[in-house]
Amino acid sequence: MKTQHYQSFLGLLFSIAFLINALVYTSLASAQTGSELPLNNTSLAQSDGHIVSADFDASINLTNNAEFLITDQSLLLSDVLQEQQWRSHTEIVNIEEESALWIRFQIDNFADSNRLLTLVAGNTFVDRAEAYLLDEQLRIVQSSRLQSESPTSANLSRSGFKMTFTARSNSLMTIYLRIQDDGLSVIPVELWQADAYNTQAGIRLILLGAMSGGLSLLATYFLFTYVLRNAPSRFWFCVFATAAMTTMLSTEGILPMLFMVPSFAAELTAISLTVTLFAAIKITRIIFQPISRLWLRAHYVLLVFPLIGIFVFNDLYQLISLIVFSFLFLLSKLVATFIYRKGIDLRSTLIYFSGWFALGIVGLIELSMLVNNTGHLSFSAPYPFIFSCIGVMLIGVAIISREQSIQSANSGEQVKKIQELQQYNDLFQHAAEGLYTAHPSGELIHINPAICALFGYEDSHAFLAGHKHLSSFFAQTKDADLLLGELSIQQTVLGKEVKGKRIDGSEFWFSISAQLKKIGDTTLQFGSLFDVTERRLHQVNLQYLNSHDQLTGLYNRRHFLSILEERIQSHDEKASEFALLFLDVDQFKLINDTCGHTAGDVFIKELSHVLFDVVHEQYAFARLSADQFGIIAEFSDKQELSALTDALLDSAQTFEFKWDKHRFIQSISIGISIYEPMTNNTLLPNGEEMLAFADTACIIAKEDAKSGTHGNRKNKAHIYSADMHLHSSYQKHLYWVNEVKHALTHGNFSLFYQHYRPLAHNDEFDYYEILLRLKTQDGDLVAPEFFMPSAEKSGLSNKIDKWVIESYFKWLNQNKAHQASLAKVNINLSGISLSDEDFKFFLLNAFDKYQIPHGKVCFEVTETMAIIRLNDAISFMKEFKKLGCSFALDDFGTGFSSYSYLKNLPVDYLKIDGNFIRDILNDKIDLAMVTSIRDVADAMKIQTVAEFVESQEIMVQVGKLGVDFAQGFAIAKPAPILQYASYTLQPDLK
């Protein structure tokens, strides 16, 4: 960094020294000439006609004091003396090919002393010139030719024809100047005092030397720094400065004279200028990178025209074309600086623009002198010299400034990248998850401390010392091979969970993600891993809980049915037969009512262990409901099945349950459904149907036991048969199951509603309960109490709940205006729905699908079902209460342990069973029960709803007791939801 700043400082120092040197020489020139030889102050002698007085200060411009004549180039001076068609020299006429231009004027020296004068005519591009000095008798006193000149301090630069002669005192002399060139007739012609001309020529050479030295110094400095820094802009500035110097020397005629090719001055000037402009284009492209390719190509094409002009135009037109082209090029530079200034820093833009602006001023001054045919020693003028020095120097400074700007930006980017790398390193070292870098083959490069801690190592050195490969992470090497194989194909592996092995030999689960990334020319593997042992164990527990009953540890109903379905689908005629055994505990309600539900839970748990000792792990054994079990038993003959059944019955018969001072000897009934393959195009039964068949057989077994049809009233088993004699209860159950299935398939359910109202105040909002009706195949419309028990036993009640919610939510979504007036709608749920995870997902999606506000929905659960499925009910309620739903406990008061379970259930409403409401006016016990329920509800901040309010008197009574809501025929009768009408407020109750 310090070296680069030193080089930039050195470059600026050289440039400043160059400028100071130039200014010193300029001052020296002014001091030497003094007041006698003022720069650019040519005094014109006043004379009559074409006679010039020899008495002038320093120089005189003869353009307006001379005559010209164009003749055939073969004419001699003697022939020209006879010509009479002389014209004013200010007339511009083109010199034709094979012609010569003659210029004449007279010099009058009436002084008493001789004067030494110098004639200067034309410019560097004049091909041939010769002069004749004649006295009063027209005798040739002196002659001179352009080719005969030798380099001296006075005529080193071939910037035109020069002839020094003596104007004798008291004489009138005539000069004839012959120019042979393919240009215009008007050329600069000047007459100088010899001493003044020699002084000015010396000063001019000093100035030219100073400029050449300065440009050479800049070019050398930038060339050396280009070699050291390999900066293309410095190389092209070296070319630019060198070419600018050669252009200037060619224009002054010094370079053609030194190389002894004075006739090729125009060609050398054109080539040098073209190279200068080409280098300038390169500098612009680098400084303003990126720049338009069209702009670059246009300039490259334009450079061809000056070169072509060498062979097409004559010398004068070549010079004019070069000046015009240079002026246009200068304008394009200034315009490009303005257009592309936003791509670079402002400082470099201003310096670069100033440099070209200074060179533009020089070009305007030189163009003005050329047009006016004045200022032969133009470079001796201080302003063009100063502006030339400043312009070239500023372009070089702009290059250095731009490099520093880029270097500063790169340094900033470098610092930023270093900071990013430091942040990445901090992230890598302190990340909570394990991070590693490895080769594609698996060889480890870096690991962070999190990996060391995960595997039980102190640091990365200790880990990498004994573990060089990615396979060290895995408990099984094949897992590493699989990961590397997937990476090579897919390039990315996400969340692959595998077993790892710690330093102490213990195994754990971790999740690994990796990808292959190409960094430069190297492909590396980047990966992360973190411990998922706890989640895996939790997942295993969830899977266990999802498939097992929490109380007994047996399979739950859902998993049992999935096993049954798989067994049915995979059945092979050659495989052994299997049957479904449905076990129902007789009089289980007696234990619950006598000792409480805790005792009932203990009894079921112990009975399941007794039955499992018979089944072992040979058969799939599940708890289907509170007091029902299921077994999938394979057998080779029915004797084996009968032996299993007898063993189960005997184990239950001998089991004795003790609770406090109570002793219970319970019994079970077994229904058996034997799987029968498809015969005579009959459909295969599914799991639900086999379960319904076994349940039906169990019902028949219970009824046979009660009626004593088969001898002993207890411990009976029955095998389902399609053509067996059916009891009326079974026929009724089968009938309603068939009707429910038909209704679900064909949509033969209907939604009704029944309003209920608050009793403590008038409310303009609507409260109602959704009721369900089934339209039988005979056309009858029946209430749920007829078909729901069979639906629940057959596992169809949750499907009915889904139909109700889907149908009502759809209707409510289509009646947006009704949602504003709706305060609360009550929807009944069955016990199966509370335990069904799929039902929860369905319900969540239904709320989202139909955009139903959660706060307007209250789900009703019967007290019996809530207590039987207490844990499921509590979990379901808590989950949906978080969303805003409310819950009501229906038929409250029917159980013996209602109050003990009420405090565990997060309900918002208690619907007092109608049996306590019907006779509340006449039965003091019912009145006391309702009062008791109201008091408990108030203490728990739960609102109460009185059901079966069938008269105004009952409504007044429950209102006096402090019941919050009333529902019944006294309020409103059920009506189809499609005929919905808002409730009309009744008069206030007094």
Side-chain angles (χ1 to χ4, degrees):
M1 183 71 71
K2 292 182 178 179
T3 303
Q4 293 173 350
H5 284 301
Y6 174 75
Q7 292 176 348
S8 301
F9 174 76
L10 184 61
L12 290 174
L13 185 63
F14 276 131
S15 301
I16 294 172
F18 170 42
L19 178 58
I20 294 174
N21 183 39
L23 293 177
V24 169
Y25 279 121
T26 304
S27 302
L28 177 63
S30 299
Q32 289 182 354
T33 56
S35 59
E36 295 182 358
L37 299 175
L39 298 177
N40 283 341
N41 186 21
T42 304
S43 59
L44 300 177
Q46 300 295 328
S47 63
D48 296 330
H50 303 289
I51 301 175
V52 179
S53 174
D55 186 16
F56 56 89
D57 291 334
S59 65
I60 185 172
N61 190 334
L62 300 177
T63 302
N64 297 322
N65 301 86
E67 296 177 303
F68 80 94
L69 176 67
I70 298 177
T71 66
D72 187 85
Q73 66 179 3
S74 61
L75 293 182
L76 301 177
L77 176 62
S78 57
D79 299 322
V80 173
L81 291 176
Q82 307 300 322
E83 293 289 338
Q84 302 296 325
Q85 303 298 323
W86 293 87
R87 305 177 189 177
S88 173
H89 188 234
T90 58
E91 294 183 38
I92 300 177
V93 179
N94 187 37
I95 302 175
E96 300 291 340
E97 191 176 358
E98 304 296 330
S99 300
L101 171 66
W102 290 85
I103 299 174
R104 73 176 180 180
F105 61 91
Q106 291 180 309
I107 300 175
D108 183 7
N109 184 14
F110 292 103
D112 294 334
S113 60
N114 296 337
R115 287 184 178 271
L116 187 62
L117 304 177
T118 300
L119 175 66
V120 181
N123 50 49
T124 305
F125 308 110
V126 172
D127 294 332
R128 294 181 61 186
E130 52 189 47
Y132 302 93
L133 178 63
L134 282 70
D135 57 11
E136 290 88 341
Q137 287 78 29
L138 298 182
R139 292 175 299 181
I140 298 176
V141 177
Q142 182 178 344
S143 66
S144 178
R145 290 186 179 183
L146 181 64
Q147 295 90 334
S148 63
E149 294 179 341
S150 58
T152 64
S153 61
N155 61 5
L156 177 63
S157 65
R158 187 182 181 276
S159 56
F161 171 77
K162 292 179 286 296
M163 182 181 74
T164 301
F165 62 93
T166 301
R168 294 190 299 270
S169 62
N170 298 315
S171 65
L172 179 65
M173 308 185 72
T174 304
I175 293 180
Y176 282 83
L177 182 65
R178 182 178 182 272
I179 303 295
Q180 188 173 342
D181 189 43
D182 51 353
L184 296 178
S185 61
V186 177
I187 61 173
V189 181
E190 296 175 351
L191 187 64
W192 285 74
Q193 297 292 338
D195 294 338
Y197 178 79
N198 291 334
T199 302
Q200 283 289 71
I203 294 174
R204 180 182 61 191
L205 289 178
I206 293 174
L207 295 177
L208 291 176
M211 289 189 65
S212 301
L215 292 175
S216 300
L217 183 63
L218 284 175
T220 304
Y221 166 74
F222 276 84
L223 178 62
F224 282 126
T225 54
Y226 159 71
V227 173
L228 294 175
R229 302 183 59 179
N230 193 25
S233 58
R234 292 179 178 251
F235 170 78
W236 289 112
F237 182 80
C238 173
V239 175
F240 173 77
T242 304
M245 179 182 66
T246 57
T247 302
M248 178 187 65
L249 295 177
S250 297
T251 304
E252 286 299 309
I254 296 176
L255 201 64
M257 183 68 72
L258 291 176
F259 288 100
M260 307 300 291
V261 285
S263 60
F264 291 97
E267 288 76 4
L268 287 176
T269 302
I271 293 173
S272 297
L273 182 61
T274 303
V275 174
T276 305
L277 299 180
F278 179 79
I281 295 173
K282 289 292 187 179
I283 294 172
T284 304
R285 183 186 69 83
I286 296 173
I287 289 182
F288 292 101
Q289 191 175 15
I291 198 170
S292 171
R293 291 186 177 181
L294 180 62
W295 187 90
L296 289 173
R297 291 172 181 173
H299 280 69
Y300 290 147
V301 172
L302 288 176
L303 284 179
V304 178
F305 289 97
L307 295 177
I308 296 177
I310 297 174
F311 306 99
V312 175
F313 300 123
N314 58 36
D315 290 349
L316 182 62
Y317 287 135
Q318 287 180 31
L319 179 62
I320 295 173
S321 65
L322 286 175
I323 293 175
V324 172
F325 178 77
S326 300
F327 182 74
L328 294 176
F329 185 84
L330 173 68
L331 288 179
S332 73
K333 287 289 182 185
L334 299 179
V335 172
T337 306
F338 177 78
I339 293 175
Y340 298 105
R341 69 187 187 283
K342 295 182 179 179
I344 65 174
D345 59 290
L346 181 62
R347 181 186 65 184
S348 302
T349 303
L350 292 177
I351 296 174
Y352 191 73
F353 181 86
S354 301
W356 283 106
F357 186 77
L359 293 179
I361 294 176
V362 175
L364 290 175
I365 294 174
E366 292 300 317
L367 183 62
S368 175
M369 291 181 178
L370 177 66
V371 170
N372 295 323
N373 285 317
T374 59
H376 173 71
L377 298 177
S378 59
F379 276 94
S380 65
Y383 293 112
F385 172 73
I386 292 174
F387 281 114
S388 297
C389 295
I390 293 175
V392 175
M393 181 190 69
L394 287 178
I395 292 176
V397 172
I399 293 175
I400 297 176
S401 173
R402 180 55 181 158
E403 289 179 353
Q404 290 180 342
S405 175
I406 295 175
Q407 181 181 350
S408 176
N410 291 338
S411 299
E413 289 293 328
Q414 185 177 7
V415 171
K416 185 177 179 181
K417 288 181 179 179
I418 292 174
Q419 292 176 348
E420 291 176 351
L421 288 175
Q422 183 61 43
Q423 292 175 356
Y424 169 78
N425 183 65
D426 293 341
L427 177 64
F428 184 83
Q429 294 296 329
H430 302 100
E433 63 181 0
L435 303 175
Y436 73 89
T437 307
H439 294 291
S441 57
E443 287 80 10
L444 292 173
I445 302 175
H446 302 291
I447 61 171
N448 72 340
I451 288 184
C452 300
L454 186 61
F455 286 88
Y457 288 86
E458 293 182 359
D459 52 44
S460 59
H461 298 289
F463 186 94
L464 294 175
H467 306 282
K468 302 293 187 182
H469 198 270
L470 184 65
S471 58
S472 304
F473 293 165
F474 301 87
Q476 301 291 334
T477 307
K478 63 179 182 180
D479 292 332
D481 296 336
L482 289 174
L483 176 68
L484 294 176
E486 291 180 26
L487 268 179
S488 63
I489 298 174
Q490 303 174 6
Q491 302 297 304
T492 301
V493 174
L494 298 176
K496 188 179 183 64
E497 295 187 358
V498 292
K499 275 188 178 182
K501 193 172 184 179
R502 295 189 175 93
I503 190 174
D504 58 4
S506 62
E507 293 185 349
F508 67 102
W509 286 89
F510 65 87
S511 174
I512 184 169
S513 300
Q515 68 172 341
L516 293 178
K517 194 75 174 179
K518 192 168 186 179
I519 306 299
D521 297 330
T522 305
T523 300
L524 296 176
Q525 178 188 157
F526 299 92
S528 64
L529 53 93
F530 56 92
D531 192 350
V532 294
T533 304
E534 184 176 351
R535 181 170 62 81
R536 287 284 295 196
L537 293 177
H538 182 62
Q539 183 178 358
V540 171
N541 291 335
L542 287 178
Q543 291 175 351
Y544 178 84
L545 294 175
N546 190 47
S547 59
H548 288 74
D549 176 61
Q550 297 182 37
L551 179 62
T552 62
L554 302 176
Y555 290 137
N556 58 22
R557 181 188 183 95
R558 181 172 56 252
H559 188 64
F560 182 77
L561 284 175
S562 66
I563 295 175
L564 183 58
E565 289 287 356
E566 291 179 5
R567 185 67 182 83
I568 293 172
Q569 296 297 329
S570 62
H571 180 73
D572 190 352
E573 293 182 0
K574 297 180 180 180
S576 60
E577 297 183 82
F578 71 93
L580 171 61
L581 279 65
F582 186 91
L583 286 65
D584 192 354
V585 179
D586 299 325
Q587 298 182 353
F588 173 65
K589 191 173 183 296
L590 177 63
I591 298 176
N592 281 336
D593 294 342
T594 303
C595 305
H597 290 276
T598 302
D601 290 344
V602 175
F603 167 74
I604 289 297
K605 187 174 182 179
E606 292 182 1
L607 178 60
S608 67
H609 292 167
V610 171
L611 296 176
F612 187 77
D613 290 339
V614 177
V615 177
H616 300 291
E617 296 183 356
Q618 184 178 359
Y619 308 118
F621 187 20
R623 184 189 182 196
L624 302 178
S625 64
D627 57 351
Q628 296 173 341
F629 300 90
I631 300 173
I632 302 174
E634 295 188 1
F635 60 93
S636 56
D637 56 55
K638 292 189 177 180
Q639 292 295 329
E640 184 180 349
L641 181 60
S642 177
L644 174 63
T645 304
D646 292 341
L648 292 170
L649 292 172
D650 291 342
S651 63
Q653 180 74 31
T654 57
F655 171 63
E656 182 179 359
F657 177 67
K658 298 177 181 179
W659 187 265
D660 290 338
K661 298 179 181 180
H662 302 281
R663 299 176 64 185
F664 299 93
I665 298 178
Q666 289 286 58
S667 61
I668 60 173
S669 298
I670 302 177
I672 304 172
S673 174
I674 300 176
Y675 178 78
E676 296 179 357
M678 182 174 60
T679 57
N680 299 326
N681 295 327
T682 59
L683 295 177
L684 290 171
N686 56 32
E688 289 282 0
E689 289 173 337
M690 285 195 67
L691 192 59
F693 295 159
D695 187 14
T696 301
C698 186
I699 294 173
I700 295 175
K702 279 181 176 290
E703 293 184 358
D704 287 348
K706 291 178 182 180
S707 61
T709 304
H710 299 285
N712 187 7
R713 295 176 64 249
K714 301 288 183 180
N715 300 323
K716 291 297 180 182
H718 201 94
I719 298 177
Y720 173 80
S721 175
D723 55 354
M724 67 182 181
H725 177 70
L726 298 179
H727 288 218
S728 59
S729 60
Y730 171 70
Q731 289 177 326
K732 182 179 179 181
H733 168 74
L734 197 61
Y735 169 77
W736 287 120
V737 170
N738 183 55
E739 286 293 340
V740 168
K741 289 183 177 180
H742 185 271
L744 288 171
T745 304
H746 298 88
N748 286 354
F749 289 109
S750 298
L751 292 181
F752 279 62
Y753 74 100
Q754 183 181 24
H755 282 290
Y756 65 94
R757 297 304 301 163
L759 297 176
H761 62 278
N762 289 335
D763 198 333
E764 297 180 356
F765 294 98
D766 291 330
Y767 302 81
Y768 57 84
E769 178 182 354
I770 293 296
L771 305 175
L772 183 65
R773 299 292 184 265
L774 184 148
K775 186 176 183 180
T776 65
Q777 298 182 53
D778 296 331
D780 298 326
L781 205 62
V782 296
E785 55 262 27
F786 291 97
F787 59 85
M788 280 303 293
S790 298
E792 288 182 351
K793 285 186 178 182
S794 302
L796 299 174
S797 58
N798 60 335
K799 296 182 179 179
I800 296 175
D801 291 346
K802 290 181 179 179
W803 187 93
V804 171
I805 290 171
E806 182 80 22
S807 301
Y808 174 70
F809 278 15
K810 183 177 182 180
W811 176 85
L812 188 59
N813 178 264
Q814 294 172 351
N815 293 270
K816 297 288 187 181
H818 168 57
Q819 289 189 25
S821 63
L822 175 61
K824 193 73 67 177
V825 57
N826 290 37
I827 302 175
N828 291 276
L829 296 180
S830 63
I832 297 178
S833 297
L834 299 177
S835 305
D836 188 358
E837 288 292 333
D838 294 336
F839 181 80
K840 291 182 182 180
F841 297 140
F842 162 79
L843 189 56
L844 290 171
N845 290 328
F847 273 111
D848 182 68
K849 177 180 178 182
Y850 294 106
Q851 298 297 308
I852 304 301
H854 295 83
K856 294 182 180 291
V857 179
C858 175
F859 293 112
E860 291 190 14
V861 182
T862 63
E863 179 191 0
T864 305
M865 284 299 176
I867 294 174
I868 292 175
R869 303 174 183 270
L870 183 62
N871 293 332
D872 293 335
I874 293 174
S875 175
F876 187 92
M877 290 179 182
K878 287 183 177 179
E879 182 172 349
F880 282 91
K881 278 178 71 69
K882 292 179 181 178
L883 301 176
C885 297
S886 53
F887 286 86
L889 200 59
D890 198 10
D891 299 334
F892 185 77
T894 57
F896 291 98
S897 306
S898 300
Y899 293 144
S900 63
Y901 282 93
L902 179 60
K903 60 184 179 181
N904 297 319
L905 291 169
V907 296
D908 305 280
Y909 301 91
L910 290 182
K911 301 193 75 172
I912 304 173
D913 188 81
N915 292 324
F916 301 123
I917 302 298
R918 287 193 184 96
D919 297 328
I920 194 172
L921 298 176
N922 305 314
D923 194 329
K924 294 182 179 181
I925 296 177
D926 289 343
L927 181 63
M929 288 292 295
V930 173
T931 303
S932 172
I933 294 172
R934 190 277 323 271
D935 291 340
V936 172
D938 286 346
M940 300 181 67
K941 300 188 181 304
I942 298 175
Q943 293 183 296
T944 53
V945 182
E947 296 183 303
F948 290 94
V949 178
E950 298 179 351
S951 65
Q952 290 293 327
E953 292 78 8
I954 296 176
M955 183 172 65
V956 171
Q957 181 63 43
V958 298
K960 290 179 179 180
L961 293 176
V963 176
D964 299 293
F965 294 89
Q967 181 178 1
F969 283 5
I971 309 301
K973 293 182 179 181
I977 193 70
L978 297 179
Q979 301 174 13
Y980 178 81
S982 183
Y983 182 75
T984 303
L985 292 177
Q986 302 295 325
D988 293 342
L989 298 174
K990 303 296 183 183

